[in-house]
Amino acid sequence: MPAAVAVLDEPLDLGKDRIRWTRTRYHQLIDMDIVTERTELLDGDIIPKMPQNPPHRITLYFVSAWLETVFGRAFVQQQQSVELSDEDSEINEPEPDISVLAKPIPSYQSGNPPPDEIVLAVEISDTTIHKDVGKKARLYSRAGFPEYWIADVNKRQIIVHREPTDNGYTSIVSYSGEEEIVLLAKPEAKIAVSALFPADDAQD
Amino acid sequence: MPALLERESSAVERSIARKLWTIDEYERLSDLGFLEGSYELIEGEIIEKMGQNRTHINLIMFLTQWLLDVFGRDHVQAQGPVVITRETGKESKPEPDLAALNAPLSHYTKRNPSAADVALLIEVSDTTRESDLGTKADMYARAGFADYWVIDVQAEQIVVHRDPTAKGYGIVTHYAANHDVSPLAKPDAKIAVAALFPADDPE
């Protein structure tokens, strides 16, 4: 269960005085080729994205493929930035592994999809579970994303977050094994959790 | 990147793996004007230097005058960078409050002083006490700075670090009031701890 995942406190030593970046500055760093690796901006910190190992990549593929059959390919985007609430936008620019949009991708020509047009956000999580359970859940909830999944590759479970509030999601339920998972936006679509992860013997 | 996550030796623990900057990137950021204010690079993190309160300023002025008397004029650097041997994944370019140098400042026109050039390193610590006694002490030890003093404002002590090793300083001694402290390089010179922390504040 997600409650068992401890989000570590910030260290008391040097880290507390570290520089924080605004989104404007962050974009300048990228535009000027100072930050060249793939990153996200979370609460003013520049967070490099972890390289994807095979279980991560395969899970991303399975979850995306299923969401595309349910919503249509044009409504599902991978690793693109999304807008958050106004108060969080200044120092945050996350890129969910998958976001399901209310309108087809070509509709968003002038910017990122606004928060009220994100139907579902998904993070595929292995080494990044603390970030996904803690900081990102808070940001996505404050942005009002109605549903947020964490696909925990190590435990082969989906942690479903619903009922967003300004203080976080109030409904957090984990599903595993042959349990069926249902989409809030498409209640008729169902899939067994095990079908979203690579075969068991493929894992170490 | 996972290797960075698993590093346990650093006191700068990370619940989330932030981008770590190299010295080259840090200097470029500085040249391009991204760093407004006062910063230093410590183990890959760009750290904002805290604003100085009155106690801090007075202590630095007092110590500067004493160091000039002991080490000679042109042998003291205030809040300038010192060179730390590059450590992969956690490069540093600190700016200690004070450094007493073996050679006059005119010697350093093209490069910053490194451990071999520095007789005594001093950080005045009020709000930065934990990192000055923790992360920075380990970093200065690994770089081989022979004599590192933390002026601990809260405890009213001088914490003297000597015998630098790859794992930190071998000898750490806390000197409270009624003690005198001498620099390793100038054993005949003395400073009284009590002189740094006057007992009666007129206010």
Side-chain angles (χ1 to χ4, degrees):
Chain A
M1 287 298 292
V5 180
V7 179
L8 301 177
D9 289 332
E10 291 293 339
L12 283 174
D13 200 331
L14 268 168
K16 66 181 167 52
D17 298 329
R18 68 187 178 273
I19 195 170
R20 305 297 178 114
W21 302 95
T22 63
R23 204 162 134 187
T24 312
R25 286 292 193 158
Y26 172 63
H27 282 184
Q28 288 170 347
L29 292 172
I30 294 168
D31 292 344
M32 297 175 82
D33 283 335
I34 297 169
V35 172
T36 52
E37 66 265 52
R38 305 209 44 213
T39 55
E40 300 177 282
L41 184 69
L42 294 181
D43 287 346
D45 286 325
I46 298 173
I47 312 291
K49 303 195 86 170
M50 293 292 120
Q52 294 182 12
N53 55 23
H56 185 117
R57 215 166 43 233
I58 294 166
T59 305
L60 178 62
Y61 166 73
F62 280 141
V63 177
S64 299
W66 182 64
L67 292 172
E68 284 172 5
T69 53
V70 172
F71 290 95
R73 280 190 79 161
F75 293 83
V76 179
Q77 68 179 12
Q78 275 109 22
Q79 289 162 343
Q80 300 296 320
S81 48
V82 293
E83 290 297 315
L84 299 176
S85 66
D86 286 344
E87 56 173 354
D88 289 326
S89 285
E90 192 176 342
I91 53 168
N92 286 283
E93 189 168 294
E95 289 186 4
D97 283 321
I98 306 170
S99 31
V100 177
L101 311 173
K103 296 178 193 160
I105 291 167
S107 326
Y108 302 102
Q109 295 201 14
S110 56
N112 295 329
D116 61 352
E117 294 186 16
I118 303 293
V119 173
L120 166 69
V122 181
E123 298 287 358
I124 314 294
S125 197
D126 36 38
T127 57
T128 61
I129 190 84
H130 288 165
K131 171 175 77 181
D132 297 332
V133 169
K135 208 160 261 200
K136 284 198 169 173
R138 248 181 351 260
L139 291 171
Y140 294 165
S141 181
R142 281 204 294 257
F145 298 173
E147 184 160 25
Y148 167 46
W149 289 6
I150 298 170
D152 180 344
V153 173
N154 295 322
K155 293 191 177 159
R156 299 168 60 79
Q157 61 179 9
I158 305 276
I159 306 167
V160 176
H161 298 65
R162 289 181 180 174
E163 294 169 37
T165 72
D166 284 348
N167 296 317
Y169 287 97
T170 53
S171 164
I172 303 172
V173 182
S174 68
Y175 297 89
S176 58
E178 297 313 305
E179 287 178 293
E180 284 193 325
I181 193 162
V182 178
L183 284 160
L184 189 62
K186 298 266 185 187
E188 67 280 10
K190 284 181 194 164
I191 193 166
V193 169
S194 60
L196 297 173
F197 291 99
D200 231 345
D201 58 10
Q203 297 219 342
D204 288 339
Chain B
M1 294 316 278
L4 288 180
L5 266 181
E6 286 155 18
R7 258 190 319 108
E8 287 177 1
S9 58
S10 168
V12 185
E13 294 169 358
R14 293 171 182 83
S15 53
I16 296 177
R18 291 186 282 275
K19 174 176 172 56
L20 297 175
W21 302 88
T22 64
I23 291 174
D24 292 344
E25 287 173 325
Y26 172 70
E27 289 178 345
R28 198 160 159 234
L29 287 173
S30 182
D31 291 345
L32 290 169
F34 277 97
L35 305 178
E36 293 153 0
S38 187
Y39 293 91
E40 48 187 353
L41 181 70
I42 308 292
E43 297 193 352
E45 300 257 28
I46 299 174
I47 304 295
E48 185 170 11
K49 297 176 79 174
M50 293 294 99
Q52 297 183 8
N53 58 29
R54 206 55 237 173
T55 307
H56 195 106
I57 294 165
N58 291 353
L59 278 168
I60 289 199
M61 289 315 297
F62 185 87
L63 287 161
T64 303
Q65 285 161 17
W66 179 71
L67 289 174
L68 289 168
D69 287 345
V70 173
F71 289 88
R73 57 193 289 257
D74 304 333
H75 282 69
V76 179
Q77 163 179 297
Q79 278 149 3
V82 294
V83 175
I84 300 279
T85 325
R86 278 178 208 247
E87 299 175 286
T88 308
K90 47 175 185 177
E91 297 187 10
S92 301
K93 188 178 177 184
E95 296 188 358
D97 284 326
L98 292 163
L101 307 174
N102 293 323
L105 287 169
S106 56
H107 189 76
Y108 305 97
T109 52
K110 296 226 164 57
R111 66 178 182 90
N112 293 316
S114 62
D117 303 300
V118 174
L120 171 60
L121 207 56
I122 299 182
E123 296 278 12
V124 175
S125 288
D126 30 40
T127 58
T128 58
R129 181 172 182 266
E130 278 157 12
S131 55
D132 289 339
L133 293 171
T135 303
K136 276 194 178 174
D138 289 346
M139 177 186 75
Y140 289 139
R142 290 195 305 272
F145 288 90
D147 199 8
Y148 168 51
W149 295 5
V150 174
I151 311 301
D152 183 341
V153 174
Q154 284 175 35
E156 300 198 344
Q157 293 179 344
I158 300 179
V159 186
V160 175
H161 299 70
R162 293 195 178 148
D163 186 18
T165 75
K167 294 187 169 180
Y169 281 98
I171 303 169
V172 180
T173 315
H174 295 246
Y175 291 97
N178 73 28
H179 280 91
D180 294 339
V181 182
S182 300
L184 189 62
K186 301 277 184 188
D188 296 335
K190 276 187 191 134
I191 192 164
V193 177
L196 294 176
F197 306 106
D200 295 308
D201 191 321
E203 283 181 77

